[in-house]
Amino acid sequence: MSANSRLTIAVHALAWMELNTRYGNEVATSEQIAGSVNTNPVVVRRLLTDLRRAGLVASRRGAGAGWTLARELAAITVLDVYEAVEPGILFATHRATPSQECPVGFGIRPVMQRVYDGAEQAVRDELIRTTMDDVLRDILAER
Amino acid sequence: MSANSRLTIAVHALAWMELNTRYGNEVATSEQIAGSVNTNPVVVRRLLTDLRRAGLVASRRGAGAGWTLARELAAITVLDVYEAVEPGILFATHRATPSQECPVGFGIRPVMQRVYDGAEQAVRDELIRTTMDDVLRDILAER
DNA sequence: TTTTGATGTAACCATAAAAGTTACGACTGC
DNA sequence: GCAGTCGTAACTTTTATGGTTACATCAAAA
């Protein structure tokens, strides 16, 4: 399917930010987060920009700049993160328009779109069940 | 997400094959199906090869060759097709191993894997509810 | 036995998304 | 004004998908 790791990294960043504040730090820098994720700071900044657009984090510029959580983790579900970083298209319909003379080619797109909408909704219903609070707790329980 | 159209084309092919038999034809050729899908016959053959591996279709070679359904549509769910043509990875974990010194980097992968397994299962539970029979009926109902 | 028409499959190219990287201007607390 | 970080553009690399060409293989039918 060519799945990406955007949701994984975004969740990682949020969990890391919360733990960072528990250690007494005000803000987190993209470089610190990138060090934990093991990627480039620009990749982190791009994802955090998406999260900021969704109101999940805030950023400060200038000296002593960095990122802060805009909500507590208990008020953020994995679905919130998913919606912030993914356009929400798990399955694609035909790349090129199928034959409109053929009954199958004519009718298949709306039918499959309904099937895919159902699958997408099922994913959302599942992701909304887990909060970022749950995620961090489970992470720390891994040892 | 970079979603693909493999499931769409595989479903399209199966529906077309059934309609083709209703019109009195024994077998369907990849060229005929490709004409309805509006793609290249090799793309169709590659997907039908996956469906054959799953026992959903059969092929004959030689003169008068082509493809036939190996089961009736009522006995094929969209989940069957999905499993035949997709490896089943909707979300990816980290591309590079996260920092194992960091508590978050250490614990996040099994936690997110469980979340993703749940989402994947939700998709399966949804796709199994629709049979290829339902799909063809709905396609023909589009006019 | 030859012809015919389709499968089976390799090889290659094109396209697009994701991720990684470099660079640098913008901003702000000190 | 300095230092440190964000914000973002630009470019490269990697990977999956899909499209295309080519051709060997096969089996029914002439």
Side-chain angles (χ1 to χ4, degrees):
Chain A
M1 177 62 91
S2 181
N4 65 47
S5 59
R6 294 169 59 83
L7 179 55
T8 300
I9 297 178
V11 166
H12 188 142
L14 290 173
W16 195 93
M17 288 167 70
E18 168 64 17
L19 200 58
N20 187 51
T21 62
R22 290 187 192 175
Y23 285 158
N25 300 110
E26 283 268 329
V27 300
T29 68
S30 60
E31 190 167 1
Q32 293 171 325
I33 297 170
S36 174
V37 173
N38 191 12
T39 185
N40 191 288
V42 175
V43 173
V44 173
R45 288 205 287 273
R46 285 198 286 233
L47 283 169
L48 288 180
T49 297
D50 291 338
L51 297 184
R52 185 183 54 206
R53 191 174 300 117
L56 305 184
V57 302
S59 64
R60 292 205 314 237
R61 305 184 68 172
W67 302 82
T68 53
L69 290 170
R71 291 192 217 162
E72 52 182 17
L73 290 196
I76 301 177
T77 69
V78 176
L79 176 61
D80 292 326
V81 186
Y82 172 72
E83 291 184 329
V85 302
E86 289 287 350
I89 299 179
L90 295 180
F91 302 99
T93 52
H94 302 71
R95 178 179 289 196
T97 306
S99 168
Q100 297 299 292
E101 282 79 56
C102 168
V104 176
F106 181 84
I108 192 171
R109 287 197 292 182
V111 173
M112 291 312 292
Q113 194 55 62
R114 286 198 288 275
V115 172
Y116 295 156
D117 288 347
E120 176 80 23
Q121 190 56 48
V123 167
R124 289 168 184 271
D125 291 345
E126 178 67 21
L127 295 184
I128 204 175
R129 296 179 51 214
T130 306
T131 69
M132 281 302 306
D133 205 36
D134 298 328
V135 171
L136 179 54
R137 175 175 35 72
D138 293 349
I139 286 173
L140 297 179
E142 288 287 326
R143 275 164 127 295
Chain B
M1 177 63 90
S2 180
N4 65 46
S5 60
R6 295 170 59 85
L7 179 55
T8 300
I9 297 177
V11 166
H12 188 141
L14 291 172
W16 195 94
M17 289 166 71
E18 167 64 19
L19 200 58
N20 187 52
T21 61
R22 289 188 191 176
Y23 285 157
N25 300 110
E26 282 268 329
V27 300
T29 68
S30 60
E31 190 167 0
Q32 292 171 325
I33 297 170
S36 173
V37 173
N38 191 12
T39 184
N40 191 288
V42 174
V43 173
V44 172
R45 289 205 286 273
R46 285 198 284 232
L47 283 169
L48 288 180
T49 298
D50 290 337
L51 296 185
R52 184 182 54 205
R53 191 174 301 118
L56 305 184
V57 302
S59 63
R60 292 204 315 234
R61 305 185 66 172
W67 302 81
T68 53
L69 290 171
R71 290 193 217 162
E72 51 182 19
L73 290 196
I76 302 177
T77 69
V78 176
L79 175 60
D80 292 325
V81 186
Y82 172 73
E83 291 184 330
V85 302
E86 289 288 349
I89 299 179
L90 293 180
F91 301 99
T93 52
H94 302 70
R95 179 180 288 197
T97 306
S99 167
Q100 297 298 293
E101 281 79 56
C102 168
V104 176
F106 181 84
I108 192 172
R109 286 197 294 183
V111 173
M112 291 311 292
Q113 194 56 61
R114 286 197 289 274
V115 172
Y116 295 156
D117 287 347
E120 176 80 24
Q121 190 56 49
V123 166
R124 289 167 183 271
D125 291 345
E126 178 67 21
L127 295 184
I128 204 175
R129 295 178 52 213
T130 306
T131 67
M132 282 302 307
D133 205 36
D134 297 329
V135 171
L136 179 54
R137 174 174 37 72
D138 291 349
I139 286 173
L140 298 179
E142 288 287 325
R143 280 174 125 293

